[in-house]
Amino acid sequence: MGTWDVVIVGGGSAGLSAALMLGRSRRSVLVVDGGRPRNAPAQHMHGVLGRDHTSPLDLLAAGRAELTRYDVAVESGEVADVAEIEADDAEPGAPVFEVVLDSGERHRARRLLVATGLRDELPDIPGLAEQWGRGVVLCPYCDGWEVRDRRIAVIASAAANAHQAQLMRQLSADVVFCTQGAVLPPATRAGLDARGIVIEDRSVREVFADEGGRLRGIRLEDGSEWEADAVFVAPRAVPHDDLLRRLRARSMRQGGVDQVLVDDDGRTSVRGLYAAGNVTGPRSSVPWAMSSGSLTGAAINADLVDEDVRNAIDARG
Ligand SMILES: Cc1cc2nc3c(=O)[nH]c(=O)nc-3n(C[C@H](O)[C@H](O)[C@H](O)COP(=O)(O)OP(=O)(O)OC[C@H]3O[C@@H](n4cnc5c(N)ncnc54)[C@H](O)[C@@H]3O)c2cc1C
């Protein structure tokens, strides 16, 4: 079995951006991608310069096409397992990783980048999941402009939601904030009230749609309704970090989840193991994921250059 310079698990904005930097540095790269990017339910992607209001899947298809210029292979599939292994042909002490795909295929790599994204865990409200990425969204910057001056409901599921309601008030005067039983600090309540945001303390029982599946509004515990053109929520962001954990990357409790720690170059606590994009944090931005992947790709190349220098000196004796 040959050894790739880098295997990248996850071919979303972060993974493909890293592959681009590495491919342009003449590194041999394998990207394995499960094909389920976080924003797949959204028809259009916004706030991405040069690509505003285009399909997120088209962006990734264009990225894959660009990579064909370089020594980068992109394979569809899931990586089921990873391990650090001893390899006879490696520099003593240099890391070597083995990845196993769900097909059983195995690959070796000098460096491993995990760019597997995250899962948005939605509040358990009937009808909400069906609307995810269409009538129900999370990010005012991604989807706010499209519903400017429309009827907006913001459902509290995290402390950040009151701020989300204030961001939406920037775009529409018709905003209702559903507290879902959360006790708001007086200053937060006063701020919402002062800007004309309706505070709804009755619980939301369901999100309802018309026969064509288009969002119509929210229904409350007593049966009364608020009509809405968009519902904003703050899902719990759960990183797809199984592979990083299996390799014992260090993590820390942050925002209610254990978050694998990386430095500014995407390095984890395990030598040769890197992470980029949403698996390292929940920011909802394709440009940020690209930047994270791109910087990490460059850092991995620099790391490999250092190893190549050591190998060259050793070879000279
Ligand atoms: C509904 C919604 C709308 C959004 N709209 C916007 C928007 O308009 N503008 C914007 O800038 N941002 C938007 N975002 C945020 C954007 O989706 C993320 O910031 C971005 O997708 C993160 O990129 P990533 O590469 O880190 O992860 P992802 O794009 O999630 O890519 C991760 C990839 O890794 C793969 N993968 C996971 N595990 C494995 C495995 N074991 N083996 C192989 N492959 C694996 C997945 O299948 C996936 O293809 C939106 C998010 C949501 C939820």
Side-chain angles (χ1 to χ4, degrees):
M1 189 196 305
T3 303
W4 298 92
D5 285 324
V6 187
V7 166
I8 301 175
V9 189
S13 301
L16 294 184
S17 298
L20 185 57
M21 295 301 270
L22 288 158
R24 291 183 53 74
S25 307
R26 305 190 83 171
R27 296 297 178 187
S28 63
V29 181
L30 172 66
V31 181
V32 184
D33 182 41
R36 288 179 287 107
R38 185 180 174 200
N39 52 0
Q43 265 193 322
H44 297 113
M45 176 181 69
H46 302 105
V48 182
L49 191 63
R51 290 274 173 172
D52 196 40
H53 205 72
T54 60
S55 152
L57 300 182
D58 285 356
L59 173 80
L60 298 179
R64 280 185 179 218
E66 285 168 1
L67 290 171
T68 58
R69 286 199 200 108
Y70 310 105
D71 187 11
V72 176
V74 183
E75 198 168 316
S76 296
E78 292 280 330
V79 170
D81 202 3
V82 287
E84 200 172 344
I85 58 165
E86 302 285 329
D88 298 339
D89 51 352
E91 180 200 6
V96 179
F97 298 93
E98 185 174 71
V99 302
V100 185
L101 275 61
D102 54 2
S103 61
E105 202 177 303
R106 288 169 187 266
H107 293 272
R108 277 186 189 174
R110 298 168 68 194
R111 298 292 181 273
L112 182 65
L113 169 59
V114 174
T116 44
L118 60 74
R119 184 179 82 247
D120 288 289
E121 213 171 79
L122 296 169
D124 187 15
I125 298 173
L128 197 89
E130 288 82 344
Q131 289 290 329
W132 180 233
R134 300 182 295 128
V136 175
V137 287
L138 84 154
C139 165
Y141 299 101
C142 301
D143 296 298
W145 168 263
E146 281 60 41
V147 289
R148 63 195 183 281
D149 294 329
R150 310 288 288 277
R151 299 161 302 179
I152 311 298
V154 178
I155 302 179
S157 50
N161 284 89
H163 181 59
Q164 200 180 22
Q166 289 287 11
L167 291 178
M168 285 315 300
R169 177 62 186 83
Q170 175 69 16
L171 293 158
S172 172
D174 192 343
V175 180
V176 54
F177 178 63
C178 305
T179 60
Q180 294 294 81
V183 180
L184 301 179
T188 303
R189 198 169 261 274
L192 293 166
D193 198 40
R195 293 186 84 208
I197 297 169
V198 176
I199 301 174
E200 175 56 79
D201 287 314
R202 290 169 292 181
S203 287
V204 179
R205 193 176 74 200
E206 66 174 323
V207 168
F208 64 97
D210 64 18
E211 282 176 4
R214 198 183 168 88
L215 174 77
R216 278 196 42 221
I218 54 176
R219 193 163 289 126
L220 305 174
E221 56 188 346
D222 63 1
S224 51
E225 296 173 354
W226 283 100
E227 296 207 335
D229 300 300
V231 171
F232 281 72
V233 293
R236 181 162 172 268
V238 183
H240 287 145
D241 59 5
D242 298 8
L243 303 175
L244 293 167
R245 286 172 187 288
R246 225 163 283 179
L247 293 165
R248 298 181 183 282
R250 197 171 301 142
S251 63
M252 188 190 257
R253 195 87 184 148
Q254 282 171 0
V257 292
D258 282 331
Q259 191 69 61
V260 167
L261 297 173
V262 290
D263 69 9
D264 289 346
D265 289 332
R267 259 186 218 94
T268 69
S269 59
V270 177
R271 201 151 73 89
L273 175 64
Y274 290 77
N278 266 167
V279 74
T280 69
R283 290 185 183 88
S284 289
S285 159
V286 166
W288 172 79
M290 284 180 170
S291 150
S292 163
S294 175
L295 292 171
T296 302
I300 294 173
N301 181 51
D303 182 8
L304 286 169
V305 166
D306 288 345
E307 190 176 298
D308 294 340
V309 171
R310 287 195 297 275
N311 286 343
I313 290 170
D314 288 350
R316 275 192 158 185

